Amino acid sequence: MNAFEAPVIEWGVLMPVLVVLAAGVVGVLIEAFVPDRARRTTQVVLTLAALVGSLVSVVLLWDRVTTEGYAFVVDGTYLLTPFTLGIQAVVAVLALLGVLVIADRTRTGQDAFAPTAAAVPGTTYEDAAREAGLQQTEIYPLVLFATGGMLLFPATDNLIVLFIALEVLSLPLYVLCATARRRRLLSQEAAFKYFLLGSFASAIMLFGIALVYGFAGTVSIEGALFVLAHPESQVLELMPGLVIAGVLLITVGLLFKIGAAPFHTWTPDVYQGAPTPITGFMAACVKAAAIGALVRVIFTLAAGLDEPLRRDLEVGLWAVAILTMLIGTAAGVVQTDVKRMLAYSSIAHAGFLAVAFVGFSEVGSQAVLFYVLAYGLATLGGFAVVTLVREQDAGGVVLGEATHLSQWAGLARRSPWLAAAFTLFLLSMAGIPLTAGFVAKFAVFSAAVAAGAWPLAVLGVLASAVAVFFYVRLIVLMVLTPRSEDAEDAGAADGGSAADGARPAEGEPSADGGAPATATLAAARSTLARASVVVVTSRGPATVAIVLCAVGVVLLGVVPQMALDWATQAATFRPLQP
């Protein structure tokens, strides 16, 4: 009988992920043993310390990984290349900023999360929990587990571990989406949609993994590449349909996570219904992690395909990029809700990122790295601003976010610095020069031109020009439009309908992201008229996040060379097998 030999694991290579996941476990224990009065502070400090520790671990591993080309642990279960280490750095930075927004409390003394997320909305139990001042601190371990999954997602050569990482990052997010303090049914509806569609996407991806195992006899990405690249295996000759089907199904699962069309339908409803800090966290961090995994899988497997199959894969990516840009920009133009507008903006940016995939080159991976950093900073900062613009009833009680566009009129006169920061983030998303977004879009379009896909780059430029409209429209509302004294007239002038213009009352569901299902147009406008808009004061963390994001957007736009050099150094993802 053969004796068992324990694998030799180099734990230092795993530290960026282990620090975060271990802190998540400790956070669960804190929920059980730390007194209520100290629990929130302990969780926030632990979460921030874990993310800083993960970022420090990435920095310490940088020289080794970039010198050796990769770090290989337990037969590729964990495979760290310069590119994946770069993605981990981006995810850690964005998660750190995202937690600052999540941890923020305004002058009302409340955060964005329900005191008891499991309570049925509108019940006496929920009212009692709110009156008792209960705090839901379980969100911090959930954020850590989701971040740990994001860090593992692009850093594995094993497709089964890739699937596990997908579930580790997704399951906490399904719960977090249902924890909004206000508009509870809308939040729960968003969580259910995300869970249901996410489950379908996971099943499709798992089926693709099964097909890859069927033609390659392994779930290793590098092993599948080895089989594809060696003619004696005759895989491409005997079962080309199985090969392309397996690759495409895995791609579908990954495209769902970045919100690319036609797998984008969950994005607007989930972004609108989830707590705004969680929306920003998802939009920035999940997209960065999923893009890293997509580049890792697609670029590697494409290296083993023959010319016809490679061309088929490129055609599919062309179709996804074009459709995503068109849907994101066209639908974004007609939105009257700020969060839904940013959701369609996120879809459009997924299309711009897909432009860089064509050619499967290191130039494209360099552009992707810089883009997810620039986009993540602008998105997190934008959603942090949204958390501070609130509705207020006639009695002076501060309610949820004021997300209808008409409610943002004259914001610059009430809070000029906040409006200036939001303007900066919107200009960066639009790709205006001297912002990070301009350099990022120039990089991805240049990568497409270098790959010979200049028509795709031209379409990207045209889509960016169209997208400028809905960003500038909001800037004009904030800066040049006077504050309306009659919200009903403002809603009528905006052309809003019951479906888009109304704000749902506390606890009422929304079928299409706008009005309650049974509300009439008159009732919806009456709701807007009764609620005034106020800019609440942050107690610190959200302000810090907004300032850091604004500084990052400016520096990456004015002096981007250092970040571009870093992205160039990190863009190496060369396969281990020839």
Side-chain angles (χ1 to χ4, degrees):
M1 183 175 65
N2 295 328
F4 171 75
E5 294 184 7
V8 177
I9 301 176
E10 194 172 355
W11 296 104
V13 177
L14 302 174
M15 289 309 294
V17 178
L18 288 183
V19 168
V20 174
L21 292 179
V25 174
V26 173
V28 173
L29 297 177
I30 288 174
E31 289 297 314
F33 297 108
V34 174
D36 291 347
R37 62 182 180 276
R39 189 176 300 160
R40 181 180 183 276
T41 301
T42 305
Q43 291 282 27
V44 172
V45 171
L46 174 66
T47 303
L48 294 175
L51 294 173
V52 170
S54 178
L55 187 58
V56 170
S57 300
V58 170
V59 173
L60 294 178
L61 286 169
W62 186 259
D63 287 339
R64 174 191 167 179
V65 174
T66 53
T67 300
E68 298 179 2
Y70 61 89
F72 201 69
V73 179
V74 194
D75 293 330
T77 299
Y78 191 83
L79 175 61
L80 202 58
T81 65
F83 178 78
T84 54
L85 195 64
I87 289 291
Q88 287 183 337
V90 172
V91 170
V93 169
L94 297 179
L96 188 61
L97 295 171
V99 169
L100 290 177
V101 182
I102 291 171
D104 187 62
R105 281 180 166 183
T106 63
R107 62 178 173 82
T108 63
Q110 297 177 344
D111 55 23
F113 305 97
T116 52
V120 178
T123 60
T124 56
Y125 176 69
E126 184 184 51
D127 295 338
R130 187 182 296 111
E131 292 173 0
L134 297 183
Q135 303 177 66
Q136 186 166 274
T137 53
E138 296 92 339
I139 59 172
Y140 297 101
L142 291 173
V143 167
L144 285 172
F145 286 130
T147 305
M150 295 175 201
L151 294 171
L152 179 60
F153 202 30
T156 179
D157 180 57
N158 190 296
L159 291 173
I160 298 299
V161 177
L162 183 78
F163 175 76
I164 293 172
L166 174 65
E167 297 305 296
V168 170
L169 76 88
S170 298
L171 292 175
L173 292 176
Y174 299 151
V175 178
L176 290 170
C177 286
T179 59
R181 175 176 289 272
R182 297 178 176 86
R183 304 183 181 113
R184 297 278 291 113
L185 284 179
L186 187 65
S187 176
Q188 293 178 354
E189 176 188 349
F192 181 74
K193 287 179 179 178
Y194 193 24
F195 169 73
L196 189 63
L197 295 177
S199 300
F200 289 146
S202 297
I204 290 172
M205 180 177 173
L206 192 59
F207 189 38
I209 292 172
L211 294 181
V212 170
Y213 180 78
F215 72 75
T218 177
V219 291
S220 167
I221 302 173
E222 299 290 342
L225 171 63
F226 184 83
V227 172
L228 293 172
H230 285 72
E232 60 271 16
S233 65
Q234 296 184 332
V235 168
L236 296 179
E237 290 79 5
L238 296 176
M239 39 187 164
L242 189 64
V243 172
I244 198 66
V247 175
L248 287 179
L249 289 177
I250 294 175
T251 304
V252 166
L254 297 173
L255 289 174
F256 174 87
K257 300 307 293 185
I258 69 172
F263 319 107
H264 68 286
T265 52
W266 61 276
T267 308
D269 290 338
V270 173
Y271 276 33
Q272 185 182 27
T276 302
I278 298 301
T279 302
F281 175 75
M282 289 170 53
C285 299
V286 174
K287 194 177 294 292
I291 285 292
L294 188 62
V295 169
R296 166 76 186 133
V297 173
I298 298 303
F299 281 35
T300 302
L301 293 180
L305 299 179
D306 58 15
E307 192 60 31
L309 287 181
R310 186 183 176 96
R311 192 180 305 112
D312 290 342
L313 184 58
E314 287 184 356
V315 169
L317 292 176
W318 271 62
V320 167
I322 294 172
L323 187 61
T324 304
M325 289 188 292
L326 289 178
I327 290 178
T329 54
V333 167
V334 299
Q335 298 305 308
T336 59
D337 184 278
V338 173
K339 290 178 72 174
R340 289 184 75 86
M341 185 198 76
L342 293 177
Y344 281 104
S345 168
S346 173
I347 294 170
H349 283 287
F352 300 142
L353 279 165
V355 170
F357 295 164
V358 179
F360 311 108
S361 66
E362 291 189 9
V363 177
S365 61
Q366 172 193 347
V368 163
L369 270 174
F370 188 90
Y371 201 108
V372 292
L373 177 59
Y375 166 78
L377 291 174
T379 299
L380 274 173
F383 280 108
V385 171
V386 173
T387 63
L388 301 179
V389 182
R390 302 288 190 90
E391 292 177 343
Q392 182 176 263
D393 65 13
V397 178
V398 177
L399 305 174
E401 291 90 353
T403 59
H404 191 270
L405 289 184
S406 64
Q407 296 175 299
W408 287 67
L411 180 67
R413 302 185 183 186
R414 285 171 285 177
S415 182
W417 290 108
L418 194 68
F422 198 44
T423 298
L424 176 63
F425 299 138
L426 292 175
L427 292 176
S428 181
M429 294 180 197
I432 302 302
L434 299 182
T435 64
F438 172 77
V439 181
K441 288 186 177 181
F442 182 82
V444 297
F445 297 151
S446 298
V449 172
W454 63 265
L456 195 58
V458 171
L459 289 174
V461 172
L462 294 177
S464 297
V466 174
V468 169
F469 168 77
F470 55 81
Y471 297 125
V472 173
R473 177 180 60 174
L474 184 52
I475 295 173
V476 169
L477 273 173
M478 292 190 298
V479 179
L480 301 179
T481 305
R483 181 180 178 183
S484 176
E485 298 296 329
D486 190 342
E488 181 176 352
D489 291 343
D494 188 61
S497 65
D500 291 323
R503 302 306 315 149
E506 181 73 28
E508 290 185 328
S510 174
D512 54 6
T518 59
T520 63
L521 178 59
R525 289 177 177 171
S526 177
T527 301
L528 273 175
R530 290 195 303 270
S532 60
V533 178
V534 61
V535 177
V536 296
T537 304
S538 166
R539 291 191 175 181
T543 301
V544 172
I546 292 172
V547 171
L548 291 177
C549 289
V551 171
V553 166
V554 172
L555 289 179
L556 292 179
V558 177
V559 285
Q561 194 57 49
M562 183 179 297
L564 289 172
D565 292 340
W566 163 79
T568 301
Q569 188 181 15
T572 305
F573 61 94
R574 64 178 67 91
L576 304 185
Q577 301 288 352

